[in-house]
Amino acid sequence: MIWGRSYSGYLLVLGWLYVYSASLVSGGDIVHHDDSLPNRPGCNNNFVLVKVPTRVNGKEKEEYVGVGARFGPTLESKEKHATLIKLAVADPPDCCTTPKFKLTGEVILVHRGNCSFTTKTKVAEAAGASAIIIINNSTDLFKMVCEKGEDVLDINIPVVMLPLDAGSSLRKFVDGNDTVTLQLYSPKRPAVDVAEVFLWLMAVGTILCASYWSAWTAREEAIEQDKLLKDGSDELLQVSTTSSRGVVEITVISAILFVVVASCFLIMLYKLMSFWFIEVLVVLFCIGGVEGLQTCLVALLSCIGEFYVKVPFLGAVSYLTLAICPFCIVSAVIWAVYRQYSLAWIGQDILGISLIITVLQIVRVPNLKVISISFLDVSWGNQTSHFGLFLQIVRVPNLKVGVVLLSCAFMYDIFWVFVSKWWFRESVMIVVARGDKSGEDGIPMLLKIPRMFDPWGGYSIIGFGDIILPGLLVTFALRYDWLANKKLKSGYFLGAMSAYGLGLLITYIALNLMDGHGQPALLYIVPFILGTLIVLGHKRGDLETLWTTGEPERPCPHVRLQPQS
């Protein structure tokens, strides 16, 4: 945006982007608990979501979603094969003892508590019920398992749990002497949803665009540096001094601190998750999205030529930037206002991709022989700016720092997706990504696409961190290849890009094998990328250069020697 000399605004957006990005790939599973004990014959069903369409006095009403138990027979997968059954309410409500009335094949509605799930089911089956629906004591779902020490079960009726609000609605109809009938069936998810294919293409395409833009900028800077070497070393020294201001280089220590700080903010998100807190994140996302969208649009349209005007407090700003900025702001505001609508994901993805490309384009690998200068030379005082964007530059100096950064992110992902369940009884990363208890459909720091052929609906999502962090090394590889004049097959970009695509593909395979449970994408991506770069670097004899200096050896033509006295 046109924020003039104020560097703190964009630095805030960048810091927020790295810290708050949820590194997660998810298929939109709504089941919250993941209990799995014990698993033995008679109690080894896969947990499945169950659809419960209802009719009241013959008229179609709401369709509820429940979860099947680990015990009992499997349900039909198609609605047309599911039997329409009358609903009855248990008396006593907990169904821990024999009901006061005899059942004749009804579905019995019971409340959770006072005895085990299997006890309730056996009592209902003995009373003549054809199925049992257990109402949870909260608005979420709980996976029903067998108790420890129970014998091998012989249960022949389906068992489904519904959330508290669904049970309350059904109970009101029955208490009002309405006739309630329902069906129980569990449609199967497709092995691969088209949404996952498009999300994979979006992630890979975003890194491709950012990598080529960044490498092209580095090449232009190298050309400009050579021109300055021709003209004189004094001018080169002056530009080097002004260009080095406001630069933050990522070190090994800062890479490690990233995980610590990110973990602290993730816990803050988890503890403070609420409607108002999501609103704050939406505002911050809009600020970053406007910056990214404006930068990308200016870069695309700058070929038509740019003219500049001096604006008070801002300095020299192009007419193109002034024309595009209001459009970007209006686009972000419209998305923020209508983000609950079904097509709002399109606006979120456009803003998100623009922001990711912008961040990856300005995250630089410092090159002692390549001076960071703008090839448009838009000056604000003594500070040179690229499209008015270089408010802050973060640099990854070499492969060593990249390895430490991705390794830390790798452990961060695994801990907060899997290990955090031991302390918090739920996956902190998944809860934050979904925006549980906030009234919103997830945090905005995600790319998402609705699942098109999934009978359960929901979204396939990927966190910004799963694109930006691996993208740092992919863009680093392409800039190195271009500055070292390496061809595509002999360079490192093709290997790094292929490794990212393959790692993300393996992530989606694991996602489907785990029945839609969120997966830490960096668990699969990081080993592929780091392994590829290290193996190729060792094989080609460039590993020491990549590891220590992170820059190819370039000739320095036209260097003027100092005259000897």
Side-chain angles (χ1 to χ4, degrees):
M1 294 178 66
I2 44 177
W3 291 341
R5 298 187 180 97
S6 177
Y7 301 153
S8 59
Y10 197 73
L11 180 60
L12 173 65
V13 175
L14 281 181
W16 169 76
L17 175 65
Y18 284 107
V19 171
Y20 297 106
S21 293
S23 298
L24 181 76
V25 168
S26 175
D29 189 5
I30 68 168
V31 178
H32 294 271
H33 298 279
D34 201 16
D35 297 334
S36 58
L37 295 174
N39 186 348
R40 59 179 183 273
C43 191
N44 58 356
N45 293 349
N46 292 325
F47 292 115
V48 294
L49 294 176
V50 180
K51 287 194 174 186
V52 187
T54 61
R55 295 185 182 185
V56 178
N57 297 326
K59 295 182 179 179
E60 292 185 0
K61 290 293 184 178
E62 189 172 353
E63 181 179 83
Y64 303 105
V65 175
V67 61
R70 192 174 278 283
F71 49 88
T74 58
L75 293 165
E76 291 287 346
S77 61
K78 295 183 179 180
E79 184 178 7
K80 63 182 180 180
H81 295 155
T83 305
L84 193 64
I85 313 173
K86 185 179 178 180
L87 180 69
V89 176
D91 186 12
D94 57 19
C95 199
C96 291
T97 57
T98 304
K100 296 179 180 180
F101 55 88
K102 189 69 176 178
L103 299 173
T104 56
E106 292 90 349
V107 176
I108 188 169
L109 186 71
V110 308
H111 287 274
R112 180 181 175 185
N114 299 331
C115 60
S116 68
F117 297 123
T118 54
T119 300
K120 296 176 186 291
T121 306
K122 288 179 178 180
V123 171
E125 185 178 5
S130 61
I132 179 172
I133 294 180
I134 300 176
I135 303 304
N136 197 15
N137 50 20
S138 62
T139 56
D140 59 2
L141 293 171
F142 186 86
K143 291 184 175 180
M144 297 175 287
V145 299
C146 306
E147 297 290 339
K148 293 182 178 180
E150 288 184 320
D151 297 330
V152 176
L153 303 173
D154 185 19
I155 293 176
N156 300 307
I157 62 173
V159 186
V160 176
M161 174 171 281
L162 288 181
L164 179 61
D165 51 354
S168 299
S169 298
L170 292 174
R171 180 71 184 259
K172 286 181 181 178
F173 288 124
V174 176
D175 291 344
N177 294 322
D178 293 316
T179 301
V180 180
T181 54
L182 49 80
Q183 294 172 286
L184 302 174
Y185 70 103
S186 179
K188 296 180 180 179
R189 279 181 166 142
V192 178
D193 194 89
V194 178
E196 296 170 356
V197 177
F198 282 113
L199 205 59
W200 185 90
L201 292 173
M202 286 169 57
V204 172
T206 298
I207 292 182
L208 277 173
C209 292
S211 298
Y212 274 95
W213 187 7
S214 181
W216 179 71
T217 303
R219 185 176 63 178
E220 292 295 316
E221 292 173 349
I223 294 173
E224 187 70 22
Q225 181 257 346
D226 287 342
K227 291 180 180 179
L228 292 175
L229 285 172
K230 285 183 181 180
D231 297 338
S233 59
D234 293 339
E235 184 180 358
L236 177 63
L237 181 61
Q238 181 180 358
V239 173
S240 176
T241 302
T242 59
S243 299
S244 62
R245 296 175 185 174
V247 172
V248 176
E249 288 193 0
I250 299 178
T251 64
V252 172
I253 299 299
S254 61
I256 296 174
L257 287 177
F258 162 80
V259 176
V260 177
V261 175
S263 297
C264 293
F265 276 99
L266 188 65
I267 294 176
M268 184 183 71
L269 281 171
Y270 175 73
K271 294 295 185 180
L272 300 179
M273 185 63 65
S274 60
F275 177 78
W276 72 266
F277 201 78
I278 291 291
E279 294 294 311
V280 173
L281 296 184
V282 167
V283 171
L284 293 175
F285 173 72
C286 288
I287 294 173
V290 168
E291 179 73 25
L293 184 60
Q294 174 185 278
T295 303
C296 293
L297 290 177
V298 169
L300 290 173
L301 299 176
S302 60
C303 58
I304 63 177
E306 286 192 276
F307 301 93
Y308 303 95
V309 60
K310 274 198 171 184
V311 178
F313 305 107
L314 300 178
V317 181
S318 71
Y319 287 105
L320 183 58
T321 299
L322 291 174
I324 288 177
C325 186
F327 168 77
C328 297
I329 294 175
V330 170
S331 298
V333 170
I334 291 176
W335 170 81
V337 172
Y338 296 100
R339 66 183 183 277
Q340 299 289 357
Y341 285 72
S342 58
L343 296 178
W345 62 271
I346 299 175
Q348 179 172 325
D349 288 350
I350 291 174
L351 293 173
I353 289 174
S354 301
L355 179 57
I356 293 171
I357 290 177
T358 300
V359 170
L360 287 178
Q361 196 276 330
I362 68 170
V363 173
R364 311 304 305 282
V365 177
N367 204 308
L368 298 179
K369 304 179 182 67
V370 179
I371 308 301
S372 297
I373 44 181
S374 168
F375 52 87
L376 287 185
D377 291 332
V378 184
S379 295
W380 290 342
N382 293 326
Q383 186 71 30
T384 303
S385 170
H386 167 56
F387 297 132
L389 178 66
F390 284 105
L391 303 180
Q392 186 72 31
I393 297 178
V394 184
R395 292 180 170 176
V396 180
N398 49 48
L399 183 58
K400 175 183 177 181
V401 173
V403 168
V404 173
L405 179 63
L406 283 190
S407 298
C408 291
F410 173 83
M411 293 183 288
Y412 167 87
D413 247 17
I414 294 176
F415 181 86
W416 290 111
V417 174
F418 294 135
V419 183
S420 62
K421 294 180 182 179
W422 299 347
W423 280 275
F424 299 92
R425 302 187 65 181
E426 57 187 354
S427 173
V428 172
M429 183 77 78
I430 293 178
V431 170
V432 170
R434 287 191 312 221
D436 290 354
K437 303 176 183 179
S438 68
E440 294 272 353
D441 189 15
I443 63 174
M445 300 304 296
L446 303 161
L447 298 184
K448 65 180 187 178
I449 297 180
R451 297 178 65 83
M452 301 176 188
F453 299 104
D454 192 332
W456 302 104
Y459 291 89
S460 290
I461 64 175
I462 182 171
F464 283 3
D466 298 325
I467 301 175
I468 292 178
L469 294 176
L472 295 179
L473 283 192
V474 176
T475 54
F476 165 79
L478 185 59
R479 283 197 300 268
Y480 182 92
D481 289 351
W482 280 27
L483 294 174
N485 293 320
K486 288 182 176 290
K487 295 182 179 180
L488 188 63
K489 291 183 179 180
S490 61
Y492 296 95
F493 170 72
L494 181 61
M497 192 72 249
S498 300
Y500 176 79
L502 182 59
L504 188 57
L505 178 62
I506 298 297
T507 303
Y508 283 114
I509 293 175
L511 180 68
N512 286 283
L513 291 177
M514 297 297 177
D515 196 27
H517 288 272
Q519 293 293 303
L522 296 183
L523 170 64
Y524 309 95
I525 294 173
V526 169
F528 275 97
I529 288 186
L530 295 185
T532 299
L533 289 178
I534 291 174
V535 170
L536 287 179
H538 177 73
K539 182 178 178 181
R540 296 169 181 174
D542 297 328
L543 183 58
E544 183 177 355
T545 302
L546 290 168
W547 188 263
T548 55
T549 63
E551 60 176 16
E553 290 295 330
R554 296 180 60 247
C556 295
H558 314 293
V559 176
R560 296 190 304 179
L561 299 176
Q562 291 289 340
Q564 296 182 1
S565 55

